[in-house]
Amino acid sequence: MTIDTLFGPEEVPTPKPRTIKLKTIKAVYQTITVHDTITDYLKPNTRYTSASQVYDTFSFLRHETKEHFIALHLDGKNRIVCCDMVSTGSLNQSIVHPRELFKTALLSSAAAVILMHNHPTGDPTPSTEDLTITRRLQEAGDLIGVRVLDHIVIGDSYYSFAERGQI
């Protein structure tokens, strides 16, 4: 390639093309249809407005031998759009990180979430760790615009953070 300079035309080597490799993330949100004869488990368009309603639907978790932490992703009318198994733990604990919980909530375009986990012992009284993670998840949700409506601990009965004024 030739360019004009103060001293006349000058030959400049043509720049070599450069290759840049970038990694991209593609969000995949998949809808799975389950065909089953049970018609009253999760009725379509059901609005979840109380902890007792959530407990009635998910009380089967009290029979689990490990802790399961689940996030129900809700639309603007409190209808379930996604049920996310965030973590399966051990007998008495389950590891939950705000990043993992809200990653899927954002993918499903959730307006709000209801958190729940079971206590295999049957006692739904929240532990100190339960109180801490609930506060942390609520703060993270407030920051990104996904409301945490409740955290329900399922045992032989249930404990609702919202009913107790802790959310």
Side-chain angles (χ1 to χ4, degrees):
M1 174 166 75
T2 305
I3 61 168
D4 290 324
T5 68
L6 289 174
F7 305 107
E10 190 174 311
E11 282 294 316
V12 178
T14 307
K16 295 180 181 178
R18 295 184 347 183
T19 302
I20 299 174
K21 292 184 179 182
L22 302 173
K23 293 183 179 182
T24 61
I25 298 172
K26 296 180 182 179
V28 177
Y29 180 64
Q30 184 178 15
T31 301
I32 299 172
T33 304
V34 177
H35 298 284
D36 204 338
T37 55
I38 301 173
T39 56
D40 61 347
Y41 177 60
L42 282 176
K43 294 179 183 170
N45 300 319
T46 300
R47 294 182 70 183
Y48 284 81
T49 57
S50 70
S52 62
Q53 187 181 15
V54 173
Y55 177 74
D56 290 343
T57 305
F58 293 93
S59 61
F60 66 88
L61 289 171
R62 71 179 182 266
H63 301 297
E64 293 294 328
T65 57
K66 293 182 179 182
E67 272 200 17
H68 297 278
F69 196 102
I70 298 171
L72 299 177
H73 301 184
L74 307 173
D75 65 10
K77 294 184 177 182
N78 290 358
R79 297 176 300 197
I80 296 175
V81 294
C82 180
C83 184
D84 180 28
M85 177 70 74
V86 178
S87 172
T88 300
S90 63
L91 173 65
N92 59 359
Q93 73 175 13
S94 171
I95 306 300
V96 179
H97 195 282
R99 177 181 56 237
E100 297 305 313
L101 189 141
F102 288 107
K103 176 173 48 174
T104 57
L106 292 170
L107 284 174
S108 70
S109 298
V113 292
I114 294 176
L115 311 173
M116 68 178 146
H117 77 278
N118 65 311
H119 280 179
T121 61
D123 179 8
T125 306
S127 65
T128 305
E129 291 82 9
D130 293 341
L131 297 167
T132 303
I133 193 64
T134 301
R135 226 174 288 114
R136 194 165 170 218
L137 292 171
Q138 186 178 15
E139 290 169 0
D142 289 345
L143 187 65
I144 61 172
V146 178
R147 290 179 41 227
V148 175
L149 298 180
D150 201 351
H151 183 176
I152 301 164
V153 182
I154 296 174
D156 293 333
S157 59
Y158 70 90
Y159 182 98
S160 165
F161 283 74
E163 287 180 357
R164 306 283 176 114
Q166 295 174 304
I167 285 189

